[in-house]
Amino acid sequence: MKRKIAALMIALFLLCALLPAALGSDSVYFLAVNDKIVDYTPSTVPIVSSGTVYVPYTTFLSEGNGGVNLGVFYGQDKQLNTLSLYGKQKPIITFDIAKGTTYDTMERLYPYRALVRNHTIYLPAWAVCNYFDLEYSLLNTGFGPLIRIKNEGGYYLDDRFFVSSASDKLREQKKKFEQGQVEELPSLPPSPTPSAQPEPEPEVPENKRVRVSLGIRCDSGEGPLAVLNQLEWKGEKAIFFFRPGHMAQWDDEIRRLLAQGHRIGFLVDGETVSACQNQAEEGNRLLSHIARTRTDYLLVEGGPALRRRLKEAGWACWTGHLTGRSYSGSGSSELVSALMEELQKRNAATRLLLEDSARSAQALGRLIPQLNERGWPVFLPPESSL
């Protein structure tokens, strides 16, 4: 059955890929989302490659399509050169730009890939629409082909009336194209890259082999967004630990952090192995509903004997070397100074646990550049190392 479904998906993709040829690959393609014509600029124009219509990935994002919410969000890992899209009812789908592959969190492969043109990532329009249950239309107008993408309940006009009502806007866009008046407009600010390392670099003993893995304990009440934004800005990854009972309120943030390449774990506080496992399994049930994935990472509020038994049962239990809670009375600057002082004493991989707070976010903004200056990488620990 799975093979039949896969074959049908490939056949449908190829069929939709051939449709643009009937309209002419040299045509100017216009773009609409729901009842809105997207302004024709170099950052929004669709392209055709091998008979398939591609649109900039920002077409599916409200930040890049003029404010229309299609229920699709994104994450980008520039180190791995991947782009991920996610919605509330679908597994995260990842486009590996370097390898030319596409897969989801269930490890299923898809018969299409992303393209890069003029430093912009393009995605196959029909395929992405099909994945997120969006409606895709390729319409022939008097001004050129029109790609229209719609989500259920987000539009009022059917395709025929929409083309008629949008004729003035299409005529205006066509005129801009013919007169060469299209201006270079950014569709969405790129994910910031880490700041340049200052010179000169601090002197570090050659035998130093410090590496830092970050864990974020998500139970401060402030939520993970500030820390998540800071890590995205700095280009680093962490493991975020949530209490299973609190995950539903952070479902969008969980999908976003997974799409950006972070890991997720559960914060459990049972007194027995059975109690901890029950909490973890409940967390995986919720995680499967939120993002169609599961995890074995645990942050256990218990002694070493409990963690050892859980590890023997197959769980990856975080054991911290440093924790921000040890300096709870200090500000972010004092926290960074104390952590750097402790790291100077170490010569091995070090696990650092911080809270999901504004103080932690500010501290990371100062800490990560100092780690970079010393050549101490931040890394995600494999489950086997915990």
Side-chain angles (χ1 to χ4, degrees):
M1 178 62 71
K2 291 183 179 179
R3 290 181 178 178
K4 290 182 179 179
I5 294 175
L8 178 60
M9 289 291 295
I10 294 173
L12 287 172
F13 177 70
L14 292 175
L15 175 62
C16 290
L18 293 174
L19 289 177
L23 296 177
S25 59
D26 295 331
S27 301
V28 179
Y29 282 73
F30 298 100
L31 182 64
V33 286
N34 285 340
D35 293 328
K36 178 182 177 63
I37 296 290
V38 178
D39 286 338
Y40 190 90
T41 74
S43 59
T44 62
V45 59
I47 63 173
V48 178
S49 177
S50 301
T52 299
V53 175
Y54 287 78
V55 295
Y57 76 96
T58 50
T59 300
F60 301 97
L61 311 176
S62 61
E63 304 97 317
N65 65 19
V68 179
N69 184 3
L70 295 173
V72 179
F73 308 91
Y74 91 112
Q76 192 170 4
D77 189 327
K78 290 198 170 185
Q79 292 180 343
L80 297 178
N81 201 14
T82 61
L83 174 76
S84 298
L85 299 180
Y86 61 96
K88 290 190 174 182
Q89 303 299 326
K90 292 288 185 178
I92 297 167
I93 186 169
T94 298
F95 296 85
D96 191 316
I97 314 295
K99 296 180 180 178
T101 58
T102 304
Y103 55 89
D104 64 20
T105 50
M106 307 297 287
E107 299 183 352
R108 291 175 295 205
L109 295 175
Y110 293 85
Y112 41 81
R113 62 189 181 93
L115 301 178
V116 178
R117 296 290 186 273
N118 298 322
H119 308 291
T120 298
I121 300 173
Y122 281 79
L123 304 178
W126 176 85
V128 175
C129 287
N130 181 69
Y131 185 85
F132 288 104
D133 297 324
L134 303 173
E135 296 183 45
Y136 171 89
S137 304
L138 179 53
L139 308 173
N140 200 0
T141 73
F143 308 95
L146 171 65
I147 307 300
R148 190 185 184 197
I149 296 171
K150 311 185 290 290
N151 64 330
E152 185 177 359
Y155 64 97
Y156 297 98
L157 302 176
D158 64 19
D159 288 341
R160 182 168 63 90
F161 282 103
F162 176 72
V163 170
S164 176
S165 66
S167 59
D168 289 343
K169 183 69 173 179
L170 289 170
R171 183 180 296 107
E172 175 188 330
Q173 299 297 313
K174 179 75 169 181
K175 184 177 180 181
K176 285 176 63 177
F177 170 79
E178 292 175 341
Q179 294 180 350
Q181 295 177 352
V182 176
E183 299 178 358
E184 184 68 41
L185 298 175
S187 58
L188 190 68
S191 300
T193 55
S195 57
Q197 297 180 356
E199 295 290 344
E201 295 186 358
E203 294 183 6
V204 180
E206 292 185 1
N207 64 343
K208 276 288 185 182
R209 294 294 181 268
V210 177
R211 296 185 301 153
V212 179
S213 54
L214 293 173
I216 308 299
R217 179 186 177 118
C218 299
D219 66 343
S220 71
E222 296 185 37
L225 189 57
V227 172
L228 188 58
N229 287 340
Q230 187 65 257
L231 289 173
E232 181 180 8
W233 180 270
K234 298 300 181 184
E236 304 294 356
K237 303 293 182 288
I239 305 175
F240 288 75
F241 294 97
F242 291 85
R243 292 191 184 277
H246 296 169
M247 290 173 60
Q249 70 185 96
W250 304 115
D251 57 343
D252 285 339
E253 287 78 5
I254 288 172
R255 281 185 284 266
R256 176 184 166 189
L257 70 88
L258 287 171
Q260 291 178 351
H262 301 284
R263 300 291 183 267
I264 189 171
F266 305 126
L267 175 56
V268 297
D269 57 5
E271 297 181 357
T272 65
V273 171
S274 177
C276 290
Q277 286 184 312
N278 288 340
Q279 291 180 49
E281 290 301 339
E282 174 63 13
N284 270 323
R285 186 187 68 80
L286 293 169
L287 185 58
S288 177
H289 177 74
I290 292 171
R292 303 300 193 272
T293 190
R294 58 175 290 120
T295 184
D296 292 324
Y297 289 108
L298 296 182
L299 176 59
V300 183
E301 292 186 326
L306 181 59
R307 288 195 296 270
R308 184 174 63 253
R309 293 177 62 190
L310 284 166
K311 186 173 182 179
E312 291 171 353
W315 299 94
C317 298
W318 176 279
T319 303
H321 300 113
L322 299 175
T323 174
R325 284 192 169 185
S326 300
Y327 312 95
S328 58
S330 61
S332 60
S333 297
E334 292 78 9
L335 174 59
V336 172
S337 296
L339 292 174
M340 288 302 298
E341 183 178 345
E342 291 297 323
L343 287 170
Q344 290 280 7
K345 303 173 184 178
R346 301 188 61 83
N347 190 29
T350 301
R351 289 186 285 274
L352 170 60
L353 183 66
L354 298 174
E355 294 183 302
D356 60 335
S357 63
R359 184 184 77 133
S360 295
Q362 293 168 1
L364 286 169
R366 296 182 175 94
L367 178 65
I368 291 173
Q370 294 190 40
L371 297 177
N372 291 337
E373 290 170 16
R374 289 160 174 79
W376 297 347
V378 177
F379 74 105
L380 279 173
E383 295 180 358
S384 58
S385 71
L386 297 180

